[in-house]
Structures are given as C-alpha cells and as structure tokens.
Amino acid sequence: MSGAHHILILGGTAEARALAAQLAADPALRVTSSLAGRVAQPRLPAGEVRVGGFGGPEGLAHWLREHKADAVIDATHPFAGTISFNAAVAAAGVHVPLLALRRPRWVAGPGDTWHCVGSLPEAAALLPGLGERVFLTTGRTGLAAFAGLDGLWFLARSVDPPEPPLPPRTQVLLDRGPFTVEAETELLRRHRIDVLVTKDSGGPATAAKLTAARELRVPVVVVRRPPVPGGVAVVPDVKGAIAWLTALVAPAVPGAGPTPPRSRSR
Ligand code: NAP
C-alpha cells in the first residue's frame, strides 16, 4: 500500500459506499471508510473499514496524522452535523484537504403541501394543527421531541429500534430503504396517515414517501438540514467527488506519476 494516496471517507450513506466502491478499485489509492457504529448490521463498503467515533476533532486529527491520510471526503448523512463540524476542524488543523459530498435537497413541486421547520421540536409543535395519524420518518434518535403528543397516533419507521422516550401511542416499523411509491402509498393508506414528518435527507432512496404524500394530499413537515461548515468545498454526487479527488492527485507533469496532494507536516 505504500505510495498510494490514502483517502478517508466518512461514511454511513449509500453515496459513501458507492464512492468507496469506485475508489477502492483504483490501485493508486488506499481507501478507508469510517462508520459511526450506530447500526447493528451496517452495509459494509469496499476497501478498509474502521468503526466507532474518533474522540472529537482532536481524535480525528490524530487519526489523520497517524494514518497519513492525504484527503478526507465527508460523505456522511446531511443531518450528521457533529462529525461534519469535527471533520472541518480536524482537517484544517492538520492541513488535509476536505470535501463534503452532500446529496441535493428535496424540492417541493406542484401539489405538495410542505411545512419547513428548523428542528424536531418545531415539527412536534406544528403537528396537532395538521393531523392525528402521523408517519414519523426522522430516524431512531430525537423522538423524545414528540413524546408529549399523547393525542396523536404515530407510525415511527427506522432501521434499528428507536431510542425512548416515544409518544405513548406509537407503532414502530423497522425497515430500511429504498422504498417504492407503490409501497409507500399502500403504507400511508393502510395506516390512514394524515401527516408525514421527514428530515430533508434528499436522494432517491427515501423520496417515494413524498410522492405518495402528494398523491394522497397528505401534508408533510420537512426538517431543514444543518449547514455544511463554512469554507468546506461541497459536491452533490459521487461523480463530483471523483473529479475533486482526480484534480487533487493529478500528476504535476503528464506521465510523471501521481504526486502527493499537498505537502504538509505530520
Ligand atoms: P453526528 O451526530 O454528526 O455524530 C456524533 C458522533 O458520532 C461524532 O461526534 C463522532 O464521534 C461519531 N461519528 C459520526 N459519524 C461517524 C463516522 N462516519 N465515523 C466515525 N465516527 C462517526 O452523527 P449521527 O447523526 O449520529 O450519525 C451517525 C452516522 O450515521 C453518520 O456517519 C451518518 O452518516 C449516519 N447516518 C445518519 C443519519 C441521520 O439522520 N443523522 C441518517 C443515516 C445515516 P466522535 O466525536 O467520537 O468522533
């Protein structure tokens, strides 16, 4: 592996796995994907994999130095704001180039009734005015924000069991996307859902619920994303990430072979 550029992918998303698959096939690169370790049975990416937190920005900076990382691609979920912030601090501290891969936001179209809010508590505050049977698709954490809504019924969907406290009238549905419009429409109908709550995760894997909600005229509460840390370059897809990396590791002189992305002290 010596001589190969070492790329750290902060993962936990389909994009991160797709990126790892492409980069790991390049013998000029050494690819390590990092997973938080939250999901019991994660889908493992190609290349090397490490699991678990780094111990804040200092821990991540230490890891980057110790493992001689040449670049970091933050391909975490748009709502994983802490690790993205940590990556920005750590990468700047050890002068390692950082890119954020963020899938585009969802955009409301004709026929959609969206209520955009800044947080889960704001979403909870809106719900009693919108419906009585809620499809909650904001993941396994943060459901405490809805726990006081005992007048409403919830269908809460997540990959792993949600963290308590939950609203008293909650049915948990353990499932992992991608989902189809047909299946989402049937689910909304079967449970007589009259309001949907989602994060603005973006991407196609979980977008079918929005189409189903539009067709059934179900209002949607959309929680806005946290911002990408200032000064960090952003691309919307794997193609953009590969173009960024190619420019970074391109040979300075054609035919001279790969050169390190940037000189720095370690
Ligand atoms: P978070 O709030 O941004 O991060 C909390 C802590 O978890 C971080 O400080 C870090 O611990 C650790 N961590 C997070 N992502 C990591 C990674 N890829 N590798 C190593 N450590 C990581 O993140 P979260 O919202 O809990 O999400 C955790 C992971 O699940 C993310 O990697 C994300 O891509 C994935 N995910 C999140 C969501 C979501 O809705 N939030 C949805 C789907 C997938 P240390 O400070 O100790 O380094």
Side-chain angles (χ1 to χ4, degrees):
M1 279 297 172
S2 65
H5 297 300
H6 189 190
I7 315 301
L8 174 66
I9 300 174
L10 298 171
T13 60
E15 289 84 355
R17 283 191 299 278
L19 180 64
Q22 288 211 35
L23 298 185
D26 184 341
L29 301 176
R30 174 186 170 195
V31 179
T32 303
S33 291
S34 176
L35 305 178
R38 301 269 195 287
V39 177
Q41 292 182 315
R43 292 171 179 162
L44 290 178
E48 297 172 44
V49 179
R50 66 163 300 286
V51 180
F54 294 94
E58 303 78 16
L60 178 52
H62 178 77
W63 193 97
L64 294 174
R65 270 186 205 280
E66 194 183 4
H67 294 85
K68 299 186 171 22
D70 292 300
V72 182
I73 300 180
D74 169 14
T76 57
H77 190 272
F79 280 81
T82 306
I83 188 69
S84 294
F85 174 80
N86 291 357
V89 173
V94 295
H95 307 291
V96 172
L98 168 67
L99 177 75
L101 194 176
R102 287 288 177 283
R103 57 180 88 138
R105 294 178 162 81
W106 286 323
V107 178
D112 283 322
T113 308
W114 286 14
H115 303 265
C116 294
V117 296
S119 65
L120 293 178
E122 273 184 48
L126 267 190
L127 283 181
L130 293 176
E132 292 178 353
R133 297 180 65 82
V134 186
F135 186 24
L136 196 52
T137 63
T138 53
R140 58 179 282 274
T141 59
L143 271 55
F146 305 91
L149 295 174
D150 48 12
L152 308 185
W153 180 87
F154 288 84
L155 177 66
R157 182 169 69 189
S158 52
V159 175
D160 284 320
E163 270 176 17
L166 306 178
R169 300 169 60 215
T170 299
Q171 180 175 330
V172 171
L173 174 61
L174 299 182
D175 206 353
R176 168 150 59 183
F179 303 104
T180 64
V181 174
E182 293 69 28
E184 296 289 61
T185 304
E186 199 277 325
L187 190 70
L188 265 60
R189 278 209 175 104
R190 178 156 35 99
H191 292 284
R192 293 177 286 116
I193 297 297
D194 55 15
V195 58
L196 164 68
V197 185
T198 180
K199 292 174 176 172
D200 181 9
S201 298
T206 56
K209 63 191 171 189
L210 300 171
T211 308
R214 181 188 313 137
E215 286 172 0
L216 297 176
R217 299 185 184 281
V218 168
V220 184
V221 180
V222 180
V223 183
R224 282 188 292 267
R225 300 171 171 195
V228 174
V232 177
V234 186
V235 294
D237 52 24
V238 169
K239 196 175 155 201
I242 288 174
W244 178 85
L245 197 58
T246 303
L248 200 66
V249 303
V253 180
T259 51
R262 192 151 132 184
S263 65
R264 61 186 177 280
S265 57
R266 281 184 170 126

